[in-house]
Amino acid sequence: MKTLLANAILIDPEDKTEALGWLLLDAGLITDKGTGTPPACANTIDCRGLHLAPGIVDIGVKIGEPGERHKESFRTAGAAAAAGGVTTMITRPDTSPALDTPEALEFVTRRANEAAPVNILPMAALTKGRLGHEMVEIGFLTDAGAIAFSDCDHVVADNKVFSRALTYAKSLGALVIAHPQDPNMSKGAAVTSGKFASLRGLPAVSPMAERMGLERDLALVEMTGARYHADTLSTAAALPALQRAKVAGLDVTAGVSIHHLTLNELDVGDYRTFFKVKPPLRSEDDRLAMVDAVATGLIDIISSMHTPQDEESKRLPFQEAASGAVALETLLPAALRLVHSELIDLPTLFAALALNPAKRLGLPCGRLAIGAPADLVLFDINAPFVLDRFSLKSKSKNTPFDGQRMQGKVRMSFVAGHAIFGADYADH
């Protein structure tokens, strides 16, 4: 059945436009759109002047299946994604055991399709067990559905192993996603080095560890010609290397987590472990440099880096607490802080949240073009609320935004033209 979404402000990241208009959906696709009088349609949803954008494509979501289902399941993560306007999740392989065989990948794909209302595409590990010693069967895992390969925060320290994996990935056209960090410098660190870290007496790492890790990775990418994505950049010191690589024509992209765009090292405050993430939060100057890099397109992608941790993992001394934060439901309202602050416009924001990740992964979503999948998010950019972590649909509640005033609420999410969140909103 055809569905008309009328009276919406369309955010088109491809055309870089923001204008009142309508979309016509049919058979899971966008079949027509316009800015004038919409066609007659029996099934019409009045969007009431709210913003309508491509659904978010989130690279690097941690799910607890297999091995840590008590922290997050496909069902709870899928519900959180739908509530947050995330219509496609790219899941990480840092499970227990790691996703390093076709059989493990097929298991999570089957579980995901059974339990979650959003699109879920899994990454596979780059080395067996994510131990950095022996690369996985990249070809077999690609055939089994791996959309990319990553050892996540376990940096492959052996240059020979990493270069060999990049070479094989290049031959098969596979995307390698890496975590730029010098593992020796960053081992055991909880915060970024500086006066604040010294005052708090916490083990720290210099931002230079990220630059060193990225420089190493880019040198090997230059040698092998592989497709490469840096999952999270967080410091201004790393940006010149990224700029040089892009100017040189290397097939590289980079991402940044929402927490490094909206929080800084001072938020750790009185050892608040919900603010312990990886890499650690940086200085305010670094945060502003990341925002500017997104605005100019140097950094391509914004992601949630959704990492659920249970209460037992977080209620520990800061140094011992687990890193990571849940962010599927807070990704959009946190990102809208940048819009409300006039640091970035909506089309540029949704290029980083939807269009660019879809393009990098070769997916047809992330756009409002005719013929594109009808994966969409309708949101009220001005709706204020105070975040209560216990209202989150994620199984774990470790968000740094607990108790904070936020602005911007998802009203409806669509996957393949079907409302997966907020159907009751359309009925009012």
Side-chain angles (χ1 to χ4, degrees), residues 230-243:
D231 64 356
T232 304
L233 295 187
S234 61
T235 176
L239 296 177
L242 176 63
Q243 178 76 52

Side-chain angles (χ1 to χ4, degrees), residues 9 24 28 30 49 107 111 164 167 187 215 218 239 265 286 293 301 346 351 364 372-373:
I9 300 174
L24 187 64
I30 299 170
F107 164 78
R111 283 285 302 134
R164 188 178 296 139
T167 299
K187 186 177 181 180
E215 295 266 20
L218 293 176
L239 296 177
E265 60 187 350
D286 279 329
I301 292 166
L346 279 168

Side-chain angles (χ1 to χ4, degrees), residues 2-3 123 125 176 205-206 281 311 398 402 404 413 418:
K2 292 183 179 181
T3 300
M123 289 190 264
V176 173
V205 59
S206 166
L281 294 175
E311 298 288 314
N398 54 306
D402 184 38
Q404 293 198 18
S413 297
H418 299 288

Side-chain angles (χ1 to χ4, degrees), residues 55-209:
I56 296 169
V57 180
D58 193 5
I59 294 183
V61 176
K62 163 89 171 185
I63 308 288
E65 295 188 59
E68 294 179 304
R69 198 168 184 272
H70 63 288
K71 294 184 178 182
E72 191 80 285
S73 67
F74 282 109
R75 183 185 61 80
T76 55
V86 176
T87 54
T88 300
M89 290 193 292
I90 312 302
T91 59
R92 305 201 313 245
D94 53 346
T95 49
S96 181
L99 300 184
D100 58 4
T101 65
E103 294 79 14
L105 207 68
E106 287 162 3
F107 164 78
V108 299
T109 302
R110 185 172 64 252
R111 283 285 302 134
N113 290 335
E114 290 170 357
V118 301
N119 304 307
I120 296 183
L121 301 168
M123 289 190 264
L126 184 64
T127 65
K128 292 182 179 180
R130 298 172 54 235
L131 297 174
H133 303 316
E134 183 182 356
M135 70 177 178
V136 298
E137 296 283 0
I138 293 176
F140 290 154
L141 282 159
T142 299
D143 292 343
I147 197 164
F149 294 83
S150 177
D151 275 356
C152 304
D153 60 350
H154 285 192
V155 177
V156 181
D158 188 318
N159 292 339
K160 185 174 287 186
V161 172
F162 192 47
S163 62
R164 188 178 296 139
L166 288 170
T167 299
Y168 271 86
K170 161 68 174 175
S171 69
L172 295 166
L175 176 67
V176 173
I177 298 180
H179 183 71
Q181 199 72 216
D182 182 284
N184 293 319
M185 286 186 70
S186 59
K187 186 177 181 180
V191 292
T192 299
S193 60
K195 183 178 179 181
F196 183 76
S198 299
L199 287 172
R200 288 293 184 268
L202 292 170
V205 59
S206 166
M208 202 56 65

